[in-house]
Amino acid sequence: MFRLLAALIVLSLSPFNAMAASCYKPQEAEAEQGIRIHSELMVIGLNCQHMATANGKNLYAAYREFTAKYGNLFGNYETVLMDYYRRNGQNPEVGINTLRTQFANKIANDSAQMRPDVFCSAFSPRIKQAAGMSHDDLRKWAATIYPSHPVSHPICAN
């Protein structure tokens, strides 16, 4: 009888364990937002490189400098997310590539809805803004979850 009761308790808790595993810890939410920011800036840089500049450079060159400056941070964000995917039984490489592709496609679709000059006028200042941020400011930006840019998983409750 004791074994049956113990088995029922384990089975009744397993949905909560699965749910807890699929939610994001705060650092995972920050990592996803950091990857979103990086992916969006790449699309902006590519689409607007001949129409706008940041600090005297075409936007794609400015994006590349930004990537080099914060390469360790973005590498850490990828590691955090790959650990999350691995822990949840997903292929980490596929998970991170799919996430980046989704973010890039979202802003590329936004750009397709606008004239190129309007899109670049609206979005190109982000590269100059990001390039001027400190490491801590960039992390704070990534850690802020905006309603217009929610993360793909709920945040774990402790």
Side-chain angles (χ1 to χ4, degrees), residues 36-42 44-45 52-55 59 62-63 66 106-107 110 114 119-133 138 141 146 148-149:
R36 180 190 54 77
I37 290 165
H38 190 240
S39 298
E40 288 180 356
L41 294 177
M42 176 193 67
I44 294 165
T53 61
N55 303 321
L59 287 186
Y63 158 79
F66 168 78
K106 166 76 172 79
I107 195 156
D110 291 348
M114 302 178 191
F119 174 81
C120 292
S121 176
F123 290 96
S124 64
R126 290 184 185 183
I127 292 179
K128 186 174 182 179
Q129 174 192 6
M133 288 183 166
L138 182 56
W141 183 19
Y146 296 96
S148 61
H149 292 88

PDB file of all heavy atoms in Angstrom, residues 36-42 44-45 52-55 59 62-63 66 106-107 110 114 119-133 138 141 146 148-149:
ATOM      1  N   ARG A  36      17.565  38.055 -29.004  1.00  0.00           N
ATOM      2  CA  ARG A  36      16.602  38.799 -29.837  1.00  0.00           C
ATOM      3  C   ARG A  36      17.200  40.137 -30.252  1.00  0.00           C
ATOM      4  O   ARG A  36      17.168  40.504 -31.428  1.00  0.00           O
ATOM      5  CB  ARG A  36      15.283  39.026 -29.087  1.00  0.00           C
ATOM      6  CG  ARG A  36      14.261  39.809 -29.936  1.00  0.00           C
ATOM      7  CD  ARG A  36      13.043  40.252 -29.136  1.00  0.00           C
ATOM      8  NE  ARG A  36      13.364  41.014 -27.947  1.00  0.00           N
ATOM      9  CZ  ARG A  36      13.725  42.295 -27.946  1.00  0.00           C
ATOM     10  NH1 ARG A  36      13.839  42.973 -29.069  1.00  0.00           N
ATOM     11  NH2 ARG A  36      14.009  42.909 -26.811  1.00  0.00           N
ATOM     12  N   ILE A  37      17.747  40.868 -29.292  1.00  0.00           N
ATOM     13  CA  ILE A  37      18.349  42.165 -29.592  1.00  0.00           C
ATOM     14  C   ILE A  37      19.452  42.006 -30.640  1.00  0.00           C
ATOM     15  O   ILE A  37      19.489  42.739 -31.631  1.00  0.00           O
ATOM     16  CB  ILE A  37      18.910  42.807 -28.296  1.00  0.00           C
ATOM     17  CG1 ILE A  37      17.767  43.229 -27.375  1.00  0.00           C
ATOM     18  CG2 ILE A  37      19.839  43.976 -28.609  1.00  0.00           C
ATOM     19  CD1 ILE A  37      18.192  43.538 -25.944  1.00  0.00           C
ATOM     20  N   HIS A  38      20.331  41.052 -30.430  1.00  0.00           N
ATOM     21  CA  HIS A  38      21.441  40.829 -31.354  1.00  0.00           C
ATOM     22  C   HIS A  38      20.931  40.473 -32.752  1.00  0.00           C
ATOM     23  O   HIS A  38      21.431  40.995 -33.762  1.00  0.00           O
ATOM     24  CB  HIS A  38      22.354  39.735 -30.798  1.00  0.00           C
ATOM     25  CG  HIS A  38      23.629  39.597 -31.545  1.00  0.00           C
ATOM     26  ND1 HIS A  38      23.996  38.428 -32.163  1.00  0.00           N
ATOM     27  CD2 HIS A  38      24.630  40.488 -31.782  1.00  0.00           C
ATOM     28  CE1 HIS A  38      25.163  38.606 -32.750  1.00  0.00           C
ATOM     29  NE2 HIS A  38      25.568  39.841 -32.535  1.00  0.00           N
ATOM     30  N   SER A  39      19.943  39.607 -32.825  1.00  0.00           N
ATOM     31  CA  SER A  39      19.395  39.187 -34.124  1.00  0.00           C
ATOM     32  C   SER A  39      18.716  40.350 -34.836  1.00  0.00           C
ATOM     33  O   SER A  39      18.861  40.526 -36.048  1.00  0.00           O
ATOM     34  CB  SER A  39      18.399  38.034 -33.925  1.00  0.00           C
ATOM     35  OG  SER A  39      19.044  36.920 -33.357  1.00  0.00           O
ATOM     36  N   GLU A  40      17.960  41.148 -34.088  1.00  0.00           N
ATOM     37  CA  GLU A  40      17.297  42.300 -34.695  1.00  0.00           C
ATOM     38  C   GLU A  40      18.310  43.310 -35.217  1.00  0.00           C
ATOM     39  O   GLU A  40      18.146  43.855 -36.316  1.00  0.00           O
ATOM     40  CB  GLU A  40      16.371  42.977 -33.680  1.00  0.00           C
ATOM     41  CG  GLU A  40      15.124  42.184 -33.382  1.00  0.00           C
ATOM     42  CD  GLU A  40      14.212  42.855 -32.371  1.00  0.00           C
ATOM     43  OE1 GLU A  40      14.579  43.925 -31.818  1.00  0.00           O
ATOM     44  OE2 GLU A  40      13.117  42.308 -32.134  1.00  0.00           O
ATOM     45  N   LEU A  41      19.360  43.549 -34.450  1.00  0.00           N
ATOM     46  CA  LEU A  41      20.371  44.506 -34.896  1.00  0.00           C
ATOM     47  C   LEU A  41      21.068  44.025 -36.167  1.00  0.00           C
ATOM     48  O   LEU A  41      21.417  44.833 -37.028  1.00  0.00           O
ATOM     49  CB  LEU A  41      21.382  44.771 -33.784  1.00  0.00           C
ATOM     50  CG  LEU A  41      20.829  45.494 -32.544  1.00  0.00           C
ATOM     51  CD1 LEU A  41      21.918  45.632 -31.486  1.00  0.00           C
ATOM     52  CD2 LEU A  41      20.232  46.847 -32.897  1.00  0.00           C
ATOM     53  N   MET A  42      21.242  42.716 -36.297  1.00  0.00           N
ATOM     54  CA  MET A  42      21.847  42.169 -37.518  1.00  0.00           C
ATOM     55  C   MET A  42      20.978  42.502 -38.732  1.00  0.00           C
ATOM     56  O   MET A  42      21.478  42.985 -39.758  1.00  0.00           O
ATOM     57  CB  MET A  42      22.021  40.663 -37.411  1.00  0.00           C
ATOM     58  CG  MET A  42      22.565  40.034 -38.692  1.00  0.00           C
ATOM     59  SD  MET A  42      22.436  38.239 -38.730  1.00  0.00           S
ATOM     60  CE  MET A  42      20.670  38.017 -38.797  1.00  0.00           C
ATOM     61  N   ILE A  44      18.711  44.855 -39.029  1.00  0.00           N
ATOM     62  CA  ILE A  44      18.726  46.308 -39.240  1.00  0.00           C
ATOM     63  C   ILE A  44      20.019  46.711 -39.947  1.00  0.00           C
ATOM     64  O   ILE A  44      19.997  47.469 -40.924  1.00  0.00           O
ATOM     65  CB  ILE A  44      18.576  47.058 -37.903  1.00  0.00           C
ATOM     66  CG1 ILE A  44      17.199  46.800 -37.295  1.00  0.00           C
ATOM     67  CG2 ILE A  44      18.817  48.559 -38.096  1.00  0.00           C
ATOM     68  CD1 ILE A  44      17.082  47.195 -35.826  1.00  0.00           C
ATOM     69  N   GLY A  45      21.145  46.200 -39.467  1.00  0.00           N
ATOM     70  CA  GLY A  45      22.429  46.532 -40.085  1.00  0.00           C
ATOM     71  C   GLY A  45      22.499  46.124 -41.542  1.00  0.00           C
ATOM     72  O   GLY A  45      22.970  46.890 -42.392  1.00  0.00           O
ATOM     73  N   ALA A  52      22.115  54.491 -43.850  1.00  0.00           N
ATOM     74  CA  ALA A  52      22.350  55.193 -42.586  1.00  0.00           C
ATOM     75  C   ALA A  52      23.716  54.808 -42.045  1.00  0.00           C
ATOM     76  O   ALA A  52      24.306  53.820 -42.469  1.00  0.00           O
ATOM     77  CB  ALA A  52      21.248  54.825 -41.593  1.00  0.00           C
ATOM     78  N   THR A  53      24.174  55.623 -41.097  1.00  0.00           N
ATOM     79  CA  THR A  53      25.456  55.334 -40.470  1.00  0.00           C
ATOM     80  C   THR A  53      25.306  55.385 -38.955  1.00  0.00           C
ATOM     81  O   THR A  53      24.353  55.957 -38.429  1.00  0.00           O
ATOM     82  CB  THR A  53      26.540  56.347 -40.889  1.00  0.00           C
ATOM     83  OG1 THR A  53      26.122  57.655 -40.479  1.00  0.00           O
ATOM     84  CG2 THR A  53      26.781  56.329 -42.389  1.00  0.00           C
ATOM     85  N   ALA A  54      26.260  54.785 -38.314  1.00  0.00           N
ATOM     86  CA  ALA A  54      26.373  54.875 -36.854  1.00  0.00           C
ATOM     87  C   ALA A  54      27.828  55.159 -36.548  1.00  0.00           C
ATOM     88  O   ALA A  54      28.712  54.388 -36.921  1.00  0.00           O
ATOM     89  CB  ALA A  54      25.925  53.571 -36.201  1.00  0.00           C
ATOM     90  N   ASN A  55      28.069  56.289 -35.950  1.00  0.00           N
ATOM     91  CA  ASN A  55      29.434  56.699 -35.611  1.00  0.00           C
ATOM     92  C   ASN A  55      30.348  56.722 -36.836  1.00  0.00           C
ATOM     93  O   ASN A  55      31.496  56.301 -36.779  1.00  0.00           O
ATOM     94  CB  ASN A  55      30.008  55.790 -34.518  1.00  0.00           C
ATOM     95  CG  ASN A  55      29.130  55.779 -33.275  1.00  0.00           C
ATOM     96  OD1 ASN A  55      28.600  56.819 -32.893  1.00  0.00           O
ATOM     97  ND2 ASN A  55      28.967  54.629 -32.669  1.00  0.00           N
ATOM     98  N   LEU A  59      25.930  50.816 -41.246  1.00  0.00           N
ATOM     99  CA  LEU A  59      25.303  50.142 -40.103  1.00  0.00           C
ATOM    100  C   LEU A  59      25.738  48.695 -39.937  1.00  0.00           C
ATOM    101  O   LEU A  59      25.810  48.203 -38.813  1.00  0.00           O
ATOM    102  CB  LEU A  59      23.783  50.230 -40.195  1.00  0.00           C
ATOM    103  CG  LEU A  59      23.198  51.603 -39.896  1.00  0.00           C
ATOM    104  CD1 LEU A  59      21.679  51.530 -39.861  1.00  0.00           C
ATOM    105  CD2 LEU A  59      23.710  52.173 -38.596  1.00  0.00           C
ATOM    106  N   ALA A  62      29.001  48.804 -38.191  1.00  0.00           N
ATOM    107  CA  ALA A  62      28.775  49.171 -36.791  1.00  0.00           C
ATOM    108  C   ALA A  62      28.211  47.978 -36.015  1.00  0.00           C
ATOM    109  O   ALA A  62      28.609  47.736 -34.869  1.00  0.00           O
ATOM    110  CB  ALA A  62      27.826  50.364 -36.698  1.00  0.00           C
ATOM    111  N   TYR A  63      27.311  47.229 -36.641  1.00  0.00           N
ATOM    112  CA  TYR A  63      26.763  46.022 -36.007  1.00  0.00           C
ATOM    113  C   TYR A  63      27.882  45.008 -35.736  1.00  0.00           C
ATOM    114  O   TYR A  63      27.935  44.415 -34.666  1.00  0.00           O
ATOM    115  CB  TYR A  63      25.671  45.397 -36.891  1.00  0.00           C
ATOM    116  CG  TYR A  63      25.441  43.947 -36.597  1.00  0.00           C
ATOM    117  CD1 TYR A  63      24.685  43.548 -35.503  1.00  0.00           C
ATOM    118  CD2 TYR A  63      26.014  42.963 -37.397  1.00  0.00           C
ATOM    119  CE1 TYR A  63      24.502  42.198 -35.208  1.00  0.00           C
ATOM    120  CE2 TYR A  63      25.836  41.614 -37.111  1.00  0.00           C
ATOM    121  CZ  TYR A  63      25.088  41.239 -36.017  1.00  0.00           C
ATOM    122  OH  TYR A  63      24.911  39.916 -35.727  1.00  0.00           O
ATOM    123  N   PHE A  66      29.902  46.093 -32.802  1.00  0.00           N
ATOM    124  CA  PHE A  66      29.103  45.842 -31.605  1.00  0.00           C
ATOM    125  C   PHE A  66      29.167  44.360 -31.229  1.00  0.00           C
ATOM    126  O   PHE A  66      29.363  44.013 -30.063  1.00  0.00           O
ATOM    127  CB  PHE A  66      27.654  46.278 -31.876  1.00  0.00           C
ATOM    128  CG  PHE A  66      26.664  45.832 -30.853  1.00  0.00           C
ATOM    129  CD1 PHE A  66      26.554  46.478 -29.632  1.00  0.00           C
ATOM    130  CD2 PHE A  66      25.816  44.769 -31.109  1.00  0.00           C
ATOM    131  CE1 PHE A  66      25.619  46.069 -28.688  1.00  0.00           C
ATOM    132  CE2 PHE A  66      24.881  44.353 -30.173  1.00  0.00           C
ATOM    133  CZ  PHE A  66      24.788  45.006 -28.953  1.00  0.00           C
ATOM    134  N   LYS A 106      11.106  37.873 -37.847  1.00  0.00           N
ATOM    135  CA  LYS A 106      10.108  38.822 -37.337  1.00  0.00           C
ATOM    136  C   LYS A 106      10.443  40.243 -37.756  1.00  0.00           C
ATOM    137  O   LYS A 106       9.609  40.962 -38.299  1.00  0.00           O
ATOM    138  CB  LYS A 106      10.035  38.708 -35.804  1.00  0.00           C
ATOM    139  CG  LYS A 106       9.307  39.842 -35.096  1.00  0.00           C
ATOM    140  CD  LYS A 106       7.809  39.754 -35.217  1.00  0.00           C
ATOM    141  CE  LYS A 106       7.082  40.774 -34.362  1.00  0.00           C
ATOM    142  NZ  LYS A 106       7.007  42.117 -34.876  1.00  0.00           N
ATOM    143  N   ILE A 107      11.677  40.655 -37.544  1.00  0.00           N
ATOM    144  CA  ILE A 107      12.015  42.032 -37.910  1.00  0.00           C
ATOM    145  C   ILE A 107      12.147  42.183 -39.426  1.00  0.00           C
ATOM    146  O   ILE A 107      11.841  43.228 -39.980  1.00  0.00           O
ATOM    147  CB  ILE A 107      13.248  42.570 -37.151  1.00  0.00           C
ATOM    148  CG1 ILE A 107      13.295  44.091 -37.303  1.00  0.00           C
ATOM    149  CG2 ILE A 107      14.515  41.892 -37.609  1.00  0.00           C
ATOM    150  CD1 ILE A 107      14.041  44.812 -36.248  1.00  0.00           C
ATOM    151  N   ASP A 110       8.746  42.811 -40.535  1.00  0.00           N
ATOM    152  CA  ASP A 110       8.395  44.195 -40.219  1.00  0.00           C
ATOM    153  C   ASP A 110       8.978  45.142 -41.266  1.00  0.00           C
ATOM    154  O   ASP A 110       8.307  46.071 -41.710  1.00  0.00           O
ATOM    155  CB  ASP A 110       8.918  44.594 -38.829  1.00  0.00           C
ATOM    156  CG  ASP A 110       8.198  43.885 -37.695  1.00  0.00           C
ATOM    157  OD1 ASP A 110       7.141  43.253 -37.938  1.00  0.00           O
ATOM    158  OD2 ASP A 110       8.711  43.961 -36.554  1.00  0.00           O
ATOM    159  N   MET A 114       7.305  48.062 -44.640  1.00  0.00           N
ATOM    160  CA  MET A 114       7.599  49.500 -44.717  1.00  0.00           C
ATOM    161  C   MET A 114       8.488  49.790 -45.919  1.00  0.00           C
ATOM    162  O   MET A 114       9.194  48.915 -46.389  1.00  0.00           O
ATOM    163  CB  MET A 114       8.363  49.958 -43.467  1.00  0.00           C
ATOM    164  CG  MET A 114       7.697  49.734 -42.170  1.00  0.00           C
ATOM    165  SD  MET A 114       8.827  50.299 -40.842  1.00  0.00           S
ATOM    166  CE  MET A 114       8.002  49.638 -39.436  1.00  0.00           C
ATOM    167  N   PHE A 119      11.712  52.309 -42.698  1.00  0.00           N
ATOM    168  CA  PHE A 119      12.221  51.292 -41.781  1.00  0.00           C
ATOM    169  C   PHE A 119      13.562  51.732 -41.199  1.00  0.00           C
ATOM    170  O   PHE A 119      13.776  51.697 -39.984  1.00  0.00           O
ATOM    171  CB  PHE A 119      12.371  49.944 -42.495  1.00  0.00           C
ATOM    172  CG  PHE A 119      13.025  48.892 -41.638  1.00  0.00           C
ATOM    173  CD1 PHE A 119      12.292  48.184 -40.702  1.00  0.00           C
ATOM    174  CD2 PHE A 119      14.382  48.618 -41.764  1.00  0.00           C
ATOM    175  CE1 PHE A 119      12.894  47.224 -39.897  1.00  0.00           C
ATOM    176  CE2 PHE A 119      14.990  47.653 -40.976  1.00  0.00           C
ATOM    177  CZ  PHE A 119      14.245  46.960 -40.042  1.00  0.00           C
ATOM    178  N   CYS A 120      14.479  52.152 -42.054  1.00  0.00           N
ATOM    179  CA  CYS A 120      15.822  52.533 -41.588  1.00  0.00           C
ATOM    180  C   CYS A 120      15.781  53.765 -40.695  1.00  0.00           C
ATOM    181  O   CYS A 120      16.518  53.845 -39.707  1.00  0.00           O
ATOM    182  CB  CYS A 120      16.755  52.736 -42.774  1.00  0.00           C
ATOM    183  SG  CYS A 120      17.100  51.186 -43.636  1.00  0.00           S
ATOM    184  N   SER A 121      14.916  54.699 -41.024  1.00  0.00           N
ATOM    185  CA  SER A 121      14.779  55.877 -40.178  1.00  0.00           C
ATOM    186  C   SER A 121      14.272  55.501 -38.790  1.00  0.00           C
ATOM    187  O   SER A 121      14.749  56.041 -37.787  1.00  0.00           O
ATOM    188  CB  SER A 121      13.812  56.868 -40.844  1.00  0.00           C
ATOM    189  OG  SER A 121      13.600  57.976 -40.009  1.00  0.00           O
ATOM    190  N   ALA A 122      13.358  54.556 -38.724  1.00  0.00           N
ATOM    191  CA  ALA A 122      12.773  54.147 -37.447  1.00  0.00           C
ATOM    192  C   ALA A 122      13.705  53.251 -36.635  1.00  0.00           C
ATOM    193  O   ALA A 122      13.767  53.370 -35.411  1.00  0.00           O
ATOM    194  CB  ALA A 122      11.441  53.430 -37.684  1.00  0.00           C
ATOM    195  N   PHE A 123      14.421  52.344 -37.301  1.00  0.00           N
ATOM    196  CA  PHE A 123      15.148  51.307 -36.568  1.00  0.00           C
ATOM    197  C   PHE A 123      16.669  51.478 -36.523  1.00  0.00           C
ATOM    198  O   PHE A 123      17.315  50.934 -35.631  1.00  0.00           O
ATOM    199  CB  PHE A 123      14.811  49.921 -37.143  1.00  0.00           C
ATOM    200  CG  PHE A 123      13.407  49.493 -36.839  1.00  0.00           C
ATOM    201  CD1 PHE A 123      12.389  49.696 -37.758  1.00  0.00           C
ATOM    202  CD2 PHE A 123      13.086  48.891 -35.632  1.00  0.00           C
ATOM    203  CE1 PHE A 123      11.089  49.307 -37.484  1.00  0.00           C
ATOM    204  CE2 PHE A 123      11.802  48.493 -35.341  1.00  0.00           C
ATOM    205  CZ  PHE A 123      10.790  48.708 -36.266  1.00  0.00           C
ATOM    206  N   SER A 124      17.256  52.213 -37.450  1.00  0.00           N
ATOM    207  CA  SER A 124      18.720  52.319 -37.454  1.00  0.00           C
ATOM    208  C   SER A 124      19.298  52.976 -36.204  1.00  0.00           C
ATOM    209  O   SER A 124      20.410  52.610 -35.791  1.00  0.00           O
ATOM    210  CB  SER A 124      19.217  53.017 -38.724  1.00  0.00           C
ATOM    211  OG  SER A 124      18.768  54.352 -38.770  1.00  0.00           O
ATOM    212  N   PRO A 125      18.595  53.888 -35.526  1.00  0.00           N
ATOM    213  CA  PRO A 125      19.179  54.448 -34.294  1.00  0.00           C
ATOM    214  C   PRO A 125      19.466  53.401 -33.216  1.00  0.00           C
ATOM    215  O   PRO A 125      20.290  53.637 -32.334  1.00  0.00           O
ATOM    216  CB  PRO A 125      18.115  55.450 -33.817  1.00  0.00           C
ATOM    217  CG  PRO A 125      17.402  55.858 -35.073  1.00  0.00           C
ATOM    218  CD  PRO A 125      17.367  54.602 -35.911  1.00  0.00           C
ATOM    219  N   ARG A 126      18.832  52.252 -33.294  1.00  0.00           N
ATOM    220  CA  ARG A 126      19.083  51.209 -32.296  1.00  0.00           C
ATOM    221  C   ARG A 126      20.533  50.735 -32.313  1.00  0.00           C
ATOM    222  O   ARG A 126      21.084  50.393 -31.272  1.00  0.00           O
ATOM    223  CB  ARG A 126      18.162  50.006 -32.533  1.00  0.00           C
ATOM    224  CG  ARG A 126      16.726  50.280 -32.215  1.00  0.00           C
ATOM    225  CD  ARG A 126      15.907  49.028 -32.383  1.00  0.00           C
ATOM    226  NE  ARG A 126      14.494  49.307 -32.183  1.00  0.00           N
ATOM    227  CZ  ARG A 126      13.558  48.391 -32.219  1.00  0.00           C
ATOM    228  NH1 ARG A 126      13.868  47.123 -32.446  1.00  0.00           N
ATOM    229  NH2 ARG A 126      12.298  48.714 -32.032  1.00  0.00           N
ATOM    230  N   ILE A 127      21.133  50.687 -33.501  1.00  0.00           N
ATOM    231  CA  ILE A 127      22.523  50.223 -33.575  1.00  0.00           C
ATOM    232  C   ILE A 127      23.447  51.225 -32.911  1.00  0.00           C
ATOM    233  O   ILE A 127      24.317  50.849 -32.115  1.00  0.00           O
ATOM    234  CB  ILE A 127      22.933  49.926 -35.031  1.00  0.00           C
ATOM    235  CG1 ILE A 127      22.155  48.707 -35.539  1.00  0.00           C
ATOM    236  CG2 ILE A 127      24.442  49.707 -35.135  1.00  0.00           C
ATOM    237  CD1 ILE A 127      22.435  48.316 -36.958  1.00  0.00           C
ATOM    238  N   LYS A 128      23.252  52.501 -33.184  1.00  0.00           N
ATOM    239  CA  LYS A 128      24.081  53.529 -32.539  1.00  0.00           C
ATOM    240  C   LYS A 128      23.855  53.510 -31.027  1.00  0.00           C
ATOM    241  O   LYS A 128      24.810  53.585 -30.251  1.00  0.00           O
ATOM    242  CB  LYS A 128      23.759  54.902 -33.116  1.00  0.00           C
ATOM    243  CG  LYS A 128      24.662  55.988 -32.600  1.00  0.00           C
ATOM    244  CD  LYS A 128      24.414  57.301 -33.306  1.00  0.00           C
ATOM    245  CE  LYS A 128      25.383  58.343 -32.796  1.00  0.00           C
ATOM    246  NZ  LYS A 128      25.204  59.616 -33.471  1.00  0.00           N
ATOM    247  N   GLN A 129      22.612  53.375 -30.604  1.00  0.00           N
ATOM    248  CA  GLN A 129      22.294  53.313 -29.177  1.00  0.00           C
ATOM    249  C   GLN A 129      22.976  52.115 -28.526  1.00  0.00           C
ATOM    250  O   GLN A 129      23.612  52.244 -27.487  1.00  0.00           O
ATOM    251  CB  GLN A 129      20.778  53.210 -28.995  1.00  0.00           C
ATOM    252  CG  GLN A 129      20.346  53.002 -27.562  1.00  0.00           C
ATOM    253  CD  GLN A 129      18.875  52.625 -27.450  1.00  0.00           C
ATOM    254  OE1 GLN A 129      18.182  52.417 -28.430  1.00  0.00           O
ATOM    255  NE2 GLN A 129      18.393  52.530 -26.225  1.00  0.00           N
ATOM    256  N   ALA A 130      22.851  50.942 -29.144  1.00  0.00           N
ATOM    257  CA  ALA A 130      23.438  49.721 -28.582  1.00  0.00           C
ATOM    258  C   ALA A 130      24.963  49.814 -28.538  1.00  0.00           C
ATOM    259  O   ALA A 130      25.588  49.398 -27.561  1.00  0.00           O
ATOM    260  CB  ALA A 130      23.003  48.506 -29.395  1.00  0.00           C
ATOM    261  N   ALA A 131      25.548  50.373 -29.592  1.00  0.00           N
ATOM    262  CA  ALA A 131      27.006  50.478 -29.640  1.00  0.00           C
ATOM    263  C   ALA A 131      27.560  51.358 -28.532  1.00  0.00           C
ATOM    264  O   ALA A 131      28.678  51.154 -28.070  1.00  0.00           O
ATOM    265  CB  ALA A 131      27.442  51.011 -31.008  1.00  0.00           C
ATOM    266  N   GLY A 132      26.764  52.319 -28.071  1.00  0.00           N
ATOM    267  CA  GLY A 132      27.213  53.218 -27.021  1.00  0.00           C
ATOM    268  C   GLY A 132      26.950  52.719 -25.611  1.00  0.00           C
ATOM    269  O   GLY A 132      27.315  53.378 -24.637  1.00  0.00           O
ATOM    270  N   MET A 133      26.321  51.561 -25.491  1.00  0.00           N
ATOM    271  CA  MET A 133      25.978  51.039 -24.164  1.00  0.00           C
ATOM    272  C   MET A 133      27.176  50.382 -23.489  1.00  0.00           C
ATOM    273  O   MET A 133      28.027  49.811 -24.153  1.00  0.00           O
ATOM    274  CB  MET A 133      24.870  49.992 -24.278  1.00  0.00           C
ATOM    275  CG  MET A 133      23.532  50.546 -24.598  1.00  0.00           C
ATOM    276  SD  MET A 133      22.304  49.211 -24.612  1.00  0.00           S
ATOM    277  CE  MET A 133      20.824  50.185 -24.573  1.00  0.00           C
ATOM    278  N   LEU A 138      23.685  47.043 -21.449  1.00  0.00           N
ATOM    279  CA  LEU A 138      23.192  46.063 -22.411  1.00  0.00           C
ATOM    280  C   LEU A 138      22.506  44.907 -21.684  1.00  0.00           C
ATOM    281  O   LEU A 138      21.432  44.453 -22.083  1.00  0.00           O
ATOM    282  CB  LEU A 138      24.328  45.551 -23.294  1.00  0.00           C
ATOM    283  CG  LEU A 138      23.946  44.558 -24.382  1.00  0.00           C
ATOM    284  CD1 LEU A 138      22.860  45.115 -25.303  1.00  0.00           C
ATOM    285  CD2 LEU A 138      25.177  44.176 -25.190  1.00  0.00           C
ATOM    286  N   TRP A 141      19.130  46.053 -20.479  1.00  0.00           N
ATOM    287  CA  TRP A 141      18.190  46.089 -21.596  1.00  0.00           C
ATOM    288  C   TRP A 141      17.682  44.673 -21.875  1.00  0.00           C
ATOM    289  O   TRP A 141      16.492  44.453 -22.030  1.00  0.00           O
ATOM    290  CB  TRP A 141      18.878  46.696 -22.821  1.00  0.00           C
ATOM    291  CG  TRP A 141      18.021  46.861 -24.043  1.00  0.00           C
ATOM    292  CD1 TRP A 141      16.656  46.880 -24.113  1.00  0.00           C
ATOM    293  CD2 TRP A 141      18.483  47.064 -25.377  1.00  0.00           C
ATOM    294  NE1 TRP A 141      16.241  47.080 -25.413  1.00  0.00           N
ATOM    295  CE2 TRP A 141      17.350  47.191 -26.199  1.00  0.00           C
ATOM    296  CE3 TRP A 141      19.748  47.143 -25.951  1.00  0.00           C
ATOM    297  CZ2 TRP A 141      17.434  47.398 -27.581  1.00  0.00           C
ATOM    298  CZ3 TRP A 141      19.834  47.355 -27.316  1.00  0.00           C
ATOM    299  CH2 TRP A 141      18.698  47.476 -28.119  1.00  0.00           C
ATOM    300  N   TYR A 146       9.674  43.528 -22.160  1.00  0.00           N
ATOM    301  CA  TYR A 146       8.650  44.479 -22.578  1.00  0.00           C
ATOM    302  C   TYR A 146       7.426  43.717 -23.074  1.00  0.00           C
ATOM    303  O   TYR A 146       7.563  42.668 -23.723  1.00  0.00           O
ATOM    304  CB  TYR A 146       9.184  45.368 -23.708  1.00  0.00           C
ATOM    305  CG  TYR A 146      10.339  46.240 -23.274  1.00  0.00           C
ATOM    306  CD1 TYR A 146      11.654  45.841 -23.509  1.00  0.00           C
ATOM    307  CD2 TYR A 146      10.117  47.447 -22.626  1.00  0.00           C
ATOM    308  CE1 TYR A 146      12.715  46.637 -23.114  1.00  0.00           C
ATOM    309  CE2 TYR A 146      11.179  48.243 -22.225  1.00  0.00           C
ATOM    310  CZ  TYR A 146      12.474  47.832 -22.475  1.00  0.00           C
ATOM    311  OH  TYR A 146      13.527  48.616 -22.077  1.00  0.00           O
ATOM    312  N   SER A 148       5.644  44.258 -25.541  1.00  0.00           N
ATOM    313  CA  SER A 148       5.707  44.134 -27.001  1.00  0.00           C
ATOM    314  C   SER A 148       6.737  43.100 -27.460  1.00  0.00           C
ATOM    315  O   SER A 148       6.752  42.724 -28.625  1.00  0.00           O
ATOM    316  CB  SER A 148       6.027  45.489 -27.625  1.00  0.00           C
ATOM    317  OG  SER A 148       7.286  45.949 -27.168  1.00  0.00           O
ATOM    318  N   HIS A 149       7.593  42.673 -26.549  1.00  0.00           N
ATOM    319  CA  HIS A 149       8.632  41.685 -26.854  1.00  0.00           C
ATOM    320  C   HIS A 149       8.709  40.640 -25.738  1.00  0.00           C
ATOM    321  O   HIS A 149       9.713  40.558 -25.026  1.00  0.00           O
ATOM    322  CB  HIS A 149       9.999  42.362 -27.017  1.00  0.00           C
ATOM    323  CG  HIS A 149      10.081  43.233 -28.227  1.00  0.00           C
ATOM    324  ND1 HIS A 149       9.710  44.547 -28.204  1.00  0.00           N
ATOM    325  CD2 HIS A 149      10.479  42.961 -29.485  1.00  0.00           C
ATOM    326  CE1 HIS A 149       9.878  45.056 -29.414  1.00  0.00           C
ATOM    327  NE2 HIS A 149      10.348  44.117 -30.207  1.00  0.00           N
TER     328      HIS A 149
END
